[in-house]
Amino acid sequence: MVTESRPATAAPELLAYVNDLRVDADRMDGYAQRLRGAAVTLRGCAEAPEWSGATLERQASACAAAAAQLRSAATALLTHATQ
């Protein structure tokens, strides 16, 4: 018995979810940029606590890492959905 092979197509719901993950990743990158900007601003402010710049930088790094993980999840889901 021979079966015809057709390329798999992803369900629209999965494609929408992949898109949502990518949008969230972009949003997290934006948060990282804003946090880094705030850290730079606070470094120039004498009234800001000494630790604030480093804390904001750590949070920015966490946001950037989350963005990378969201993009990775989107790619993996898309790969799975189209197999």
Side-chain angles (χ1 to χ4, degrees):
M1 176 174 181
V2 176
T3 58
E4 187 176 321
S5 175
R6 288 183 269 169
T9 57
E13 299 85 12
L14 285 177
L15 294 177
Y17 195 66
V18 166
N19 186 60
D20 289 346
L21 290 171
R22 290 176 176 161
V23 168
D24 288 344
D26 290 344
R27 188 174 297 132
M28 292 304 291
D29 276 335
Y31 293 149
Q33 289 176 345
R34 289 174 59 187
L35 287 164
R36 288 190 174 108
V40 168
T41 299
L42 288 177
R43 278 192 211 111
C45 181
E47 295 84 17
E50 184 177 305
W51 51 263
S52 62
T55 300
L56 290 169
E57 283 293 339
R58 280 193 304 276
Q59 192 63 39
S61 293
C63 287
Q69 291 171 347
L70 287 164
R71 283 191 184 89
S72 178
T75 299
L77 182 58
L78 184 60
T79 299
H80 173 75
T82 57
Q83 289 183 347

